[in-house]
Tab-separated table of all heavy atoms in Angstrom:
chain	number	residue	atom	x	y	z
A	1	VAL	N	230.398	70.771	-58.240
A	1	VAL	CA	230.270	70.569	-56.790
A	1	VAL	C	231.434	71.293	-56.103
A	1	VAL	O	232.430	70.675	-55.737
A	1	VAL	CB	230.271	69.066	-56.420
A	1	VAL	CG1	229.927	68.873	-54.939
A	1	VAL	CG2	229.323	68.280	-57.292
A	2	PRO	N	231.321	72.602	-55.940
A	2	PRO	CA	232.427	73.373	-55.355
A	2	PRO	C	232.838	72.909	-53.962
A	2	PRO	O	233.993	73.086	-53.572
A	2	PRO	CB	231.888	74.807	-55.303
A	2	PRO	CG	230.747	74.840	-56.254
A	2	PRO	CD	230.201	73.451	-56.323
A	3	ASP	N	231.923	72.277	-53.227
A	3	ASP	CA	232.231	71.801	-51.875
A	3	ASP	C	232.933	70.445	-51.857
A	3	ASP	O	233.308	69.967	-50.791
A	3	ASP	CB	230.948	71.683	-51.041
A	3	ASP	CG	230.286	73.030	-50.804
A	3	ASP	OD1	230.964	74.066	-50.952
A	3	ASP	OD2	229.086	73.048	-50.494
A	4	ALA	N	233.095	69.832	-53.021
A	4	ALA	CA	233.748	68.517	-53.070
A	4	ALA	C	235.218	68.659	-52.673
A	4	ALA	O	235.881	69.630	-53.022
A	4	ALA	CB	233.624	67.921	-54.461
A	5	GLU	N	235.693	67.670	-51.952
A	5	GLU	CA	237.059	67.667	-51.447
A	5	GLU	C	237.921	66.744	-52.309
A	5	GLU	O	237.556	65.600	-52.564
A	5	GLU	CB	237.043	67.172	-50.001
A	5	GLU	CG	238.383	67.046	-49.366
A	5	GLU	CD	238.295	66.405	-47.981
A	5	GLU	OE1	237.214	66.426	-47.373
A	5	GLU	OE2	239.316	65.882	-47.536
A	6	GLU	N	239.063	67.260	-52.762
A	6	GLU	CA	239.983	66.442	-53.548
A	6	GLU	C	240.679	65.432	-52.647
A	6	GLU	O	241.031	65.746	-51.506
A	6	GLU	CB	241.026	67.318	-54.240
A	6	GLU	CG	240.441	68.188	-55.322
A	6	GLU	CD	241.498	68.926	-56.133
A	6	GLU	OE1	242.669	68.993	-55.705
A	6	GLU	OE2	241.139	69.442	-57.196
A	7	SER	N	240.866	64.224	-53.171
A	7	SER	CA	241.554	63.182	-52.417
A	7	SER	C	242.173	62.189	-53.397
A	7	SER	O	242.081	62.361	-54.608
A	7	SER	CB	240.569	62.480	-51.479
A	7	SER	OG	239.585	61.791	-52.213
A	8	ILE	N	242.775	61.176	-52.850
A	8	ILE	CA	243.271	60.051	-53.637
A	8	ILE	C	242.569	58.811	-53.092
A	8	ILE	O	242.522	58.599	-51.881
A	8	ILE	CB	244.805	59.901	-53.525
A	8	ILE	CG1	245.522	61.124	-54.114
A	8	ILE	CG2	245.280	58.609	-54.199
A	8	ILE	CD1	245.454	61.258	-55.621
A	9	SER	N	242.021	58.005	-53.986
A	9	SER	CA	241.348	56.777	-53.596
A	9	SER	C	241.883	55.654	-54.477
A	9	SER	O	241.826	55.754	-55.710
A	9	SER	CB	239.838	56.934	-53.785
A	9	SER	OG	239.166	55.749	-53.441
A	10	TYR	N	242.434	54.629	-53.856
A	10	TYR	CA	243.032	53.520	-54.595
A	10	TYR	C	244.080	54.016	-55.599
A	10	TYR	O	244.182	53.517	-56.717
A	10	TYR	CB	241.974	52.670	-55.296
A	10	TYR	CG	241.020	52.004	-54.340
A	10	TYR	CD1	239.771	52.558	-54.084
A	10	TYR	CD2	241.380	50.849	-53.662
A	10	TYR	CE1	238.894	51.962	-53.180
A	10	TYR	CE2	240.514	50.245	-52.761
A	10	TYR	CZ	239.270	50.808	-52.528
A	10	TYR	OH	238.413	50.216	-51.631
A	11	GLY	N	244.821	55.047	-55.218
A	11	GLY	CA	245.882	55.590	-56.053
A	11	GLY	C	245.404	56.497	-57.172
A	11	GLY	O	246.192	56.912	-58.011
A	12	MET	N	244.105	56.800	-57.193
A	12	MET	CA	243.527	57.620	-58.263
A	12	MET	C	243.030	58.950	-57.714
A	12	MET	O	242.546	59.008	-56.576
A	12	MET	CB	242.346	56.895	-58.910
A	12	MET	CG	242.682	55.581	-59.538
A	12	MET	SD	241.224	54.789	-60.267
A	12	MET	CE	240.234	54.453	-58.816
A	13	PRO	N	243.078	60.002	-58.529
A	13	PRO	CA	242.463	61.266	-58.118
A	13	PRO	C	240.974	61.039	-57.895
A	13	PRO	O	240.305	60.395	-58.705
A	13	PRO	CB	242.689	62.189	-59.310
A	13	PRO	CG	243.820	61.593	-60.060
A	13	PRO	CD	243.712	60.113	-59.841
A	14	ALA	N	240.484	61.565	-56.796
A	14	ALA	CA	239.084	61.344	-56.439
A	14	ALA	C	238.528	62.580	-55.753
A	14	ALA	O	239.268	63.477	-55.349
A	14	ALA	CB	238.971	60.134	-55.517
A	15	PHE	N	237.227	62.591	-55.634
A	15	PHE	CA	236.529	63.649	-54.910
A	15	PHE	C	235.615	63.003	-53.886
A	15	PHE	O	235.008	61.963	-54.145
A	15	PHE	CB	235.696	64.510	-55.868
A	15	PHE	CG	236.517	65.452	-56.689
A	15	PHE	CD1	237.069	65.048	-57.888
A	15	PHE	CD2	236.759	66.752	-56.247
A	15	PHE	CE1	237.830	65.912	-58.648
A	15	PHE	CE2	237.524	67.623	-57.000
A	15	PHE	CZ	238.059	67.205	-58.209
A	16	LYS	N	235.522	63.655	-52.743
A	16	LYS	CA	234.580	63.250	-51.702
A	16	LYS	C	233.591	64.388	-51.514
A	16	LYS	O	233.932	65.550	-51.679
A	16	LYS	CB	235.307	62.991	-50.383
A	16	LYS	CG	236.187	61.775	-50.403
A	16	LYS	CD	236.842	61.575	-49.057
A	16	LYS	CE	237.709	60.338	-49.083
A	16	LYS	NZ	238.347	60.112	-47.774
A	17	TYR	N	232.383	64.008	-51.166
A	17	TYR	CA	231.343	64.982	-50.863
A	17	TYR	C	230.722	64.563	-49.541
A	17	TYR	O	230.295	63.406	-49.394
A	17	TYR	CB	230.300	65.018	-51.984
A	17	TYR	CG	229.171	65.983	-51.735
A	17	TYR	CD1	229.392	67.353	-51.775
A	17	TYR	CD2	227.900	65.520	-51.449
A	17	TYR	CE1	228.356	68.245	-51.536
A	17	TYR	CE2	226.856	66.407	-51.212
A	17	TYR	CZ	227.095	67.762	-51.255
A	17	TYR	OH	226.067	68.651	-51.012
A	18	LYS	N	230.704	65.474	-48.595
A	18	LYS	CA	230.213	65.167	-47.247
A	18	LYS	C	230.931	63.941	-46.690
A	18	LYS	O	230.324	63.044	-46.107
A	18	LYS	CB	228.700	64.984	-47.241
A	18	LYS	CG	227.958	66.249	-47.600
A	18	LYS	CD	226.477	66.110	-47.405
A	18	LYS	CE	225.806	67.443	-47.703
A	18	LYS	NZ	224.390	67.435	-47.438
A	19	LYS	N	232.246	63.892	-46.953
A	19	LYS	CA	233.145	62.830	-46.472
A	19	LYS	C	232.868	61.462	-47.087
A	19	LYS	O	233.380	60.450	-46.634
A	19	LYS	CB	233.150	62.760	-44.950
A	19	LYS	CG	233.576	64.059	-44.292
A	19	LYS	CD	233.839	63.869	-42.823
A	19	LYS	CE	234.148	65.173	-42.129
A	19	LYS	NZ	235.403	65.780	-42.439
A	20	LYS	N	232.069	61.408	-48.145
A	20	LYS	CA	231.774	60.152	-48.826
A	20	LYS	C	232.297	60.216	-50.261
A	20	LYS	O	232.312	61.265	-50.883
A	20	LYS	CB	230.269	59.867	-48.821
A	20	LYS	CG	229.733	59.648	-47.426
A	20	LYS	CD	228.299	59.245	-47.469
A	20	LYS	CE	227.786	59.008	-46.057
A	20	LYS	NZ	226.393	58.612	-46.049
A	21	TYR	N	232.669	59.054	-50.784
A	21	TYR	CA	233.192	58.950	-52.145
A	21	TYR	C	232.189	59.510	-53.146
A	21	TYR	O	231.028	59.109	-53.151
A	21	TYR	CB	233.490	57.478	-52.456
A	21	TYR	CG	233.935	57.226	-53.864
A	21	TYR	CD1	235.266	57.362	-54.218
A	21	TYR	CD2	233.019	56.865	-54.845
A	21	TYR	CE1	235.681	57.128	-55.525
A	21	TYR	CE2	233.430	56.627	-56.146
A	21	TYR	CZ	234.760	56.770	-56.481
A	21	TYR	OH	235.166	56.545	-57.769
A	22	LEU	N	232.662	60.425	-53.977
A	22	LEU	CA	231.822	61.020	-55.018
A	22	LEU	C	232.148	60.394	-56.369
A	22	LEU	O	231.307	59.750	-56.996
A	22	LEU	CB	232.026	62.537	-55.056
A	22	LEU	CG	231.272	63.321	-56.103
A	22	LEU	CD1	229.762	63.215	-55.888
A	22	LEU	CD2	231.697	64.792	-56.075
A	23	VAL	N	233.383	60.571	-56.822
A	23	VAL	CA	233.805	60.079	-58.126
A	23	VAL	C	235.330	60.120	-58.189
A	23	VAL	O	235.962	60.895	-57.473
A	23	VAL	CB	233.158	60.929	-59.253
A	23	VAL	CG1	233.678	62.335	-59.252
A	23	VAL	CG2	233.304	60.305	-60.612
A	24	ALA	N	235.911	59.291	-59.046
A	24	ALA	CA	237.357	59.311	-59.267
A	24	ALA	C	237.613	59.270	-60.766
A	24	ALA	O	236.712	58.980	-61.563
A	24	ALA	CB	238.027	58.123	-58.581
A	25	PHE	N	238.837	59.575	-61.141
A	25	PHE	CA	239.242	59.484	-62.544
A	25	PHE	C	240.694	59.068	-62.605
A	25	PHE	O	241.434	59.210	-61.632
A	25	PHE	CB	239.001	60.808	-63.292
A	25	PHE	CG	239.702	62.003	-62.703
A	25	PHE	CD1	240.986	62.345	-63.095
A	25	PHE	CD2	239.066	62.801	-61.762
A	25	PHE	CE1	241.628	63.456	-62.570
A	25	PHE	CE2	239.691	63.919	-61.226
A	25	PHE	CZ	240.987	64.239	-61.627
A	26	CYS	N	241.099	58.541	-63.755
A	26	CYS	CA	242.468	58.029	-63.866
A	26	CYS	C	242.822	57.836	-65.330
A	26	CYS	O	241.939	57.729	-66.186
A	26	CYS	CB	242.540	56.697	-63.129
A	26	CYS	SG	244.199	56.095	-62.832
A	27	GLU	N	244.126	57.787	-65.595
A	27	GLU	CA	244.574	57.485	-66.952
A	27	GLU	C	245.217	56.108	-66.958
A	27	GLU	O	245.783	55.670	-65.964
A	27	GLU	CB	245.531	58.560	-67.476
A	27	GLU	CG	246.763	58.810	-66.636
A	27	GLU	CD	247.949	57.940	-66.966
A	27	GLU	OE1	248.072	57.459	-68.096
A	27	GLU	OE2	248.765	57.718	-66.063
A	28	PHE	N	245.077	55.453	-68.087
A	28	PHE	CA	245.662	54.142	-68.310
A	28	PHE	C	246.389	54.180	-69.648
A	28	PHE	O	246.358	55.187	-70.343
A	28	PHE	CB	244.570	53.061	-68.305
A	28	PHE	CG	243.886	52.927	-66.975
A	28	PHE	CD1	242.740	53.660	-66.696
A	28	PHE	CD2	244.396	52.098	-65.999
A	28	PHE	CE1	242.103	53.562	-65.467
A	28	PHE	CE2	243.774	51.992	-64.761
A	28	PHE	CZ	242.621	52.719	-64.500
């Protein structure tokens, strides 16, 4: 999804698509 925007959500790396939450990832 090249148009996805990188962000941080709840302290985790995340992506938004069309300004909506797409997916996040994190390490534990």
Side-chain angles (χ1 to χ4, degrees):
V1 188
D3 295 341
E5 177 186 339
E6 292 187 345
S7 65
I8 296 289
S9 179
Y10 297 98
M12 300 180 294
F15 285 87
K16 291 181 179 181
Y17 179 70
K18 295 188 177 185
K19 301 192 185 290
K20 295 185 179 180
Y21 176 85
L22 178 63
V23 67
F25 58 89
C26 193
E27 57 88 26
F28 296 91

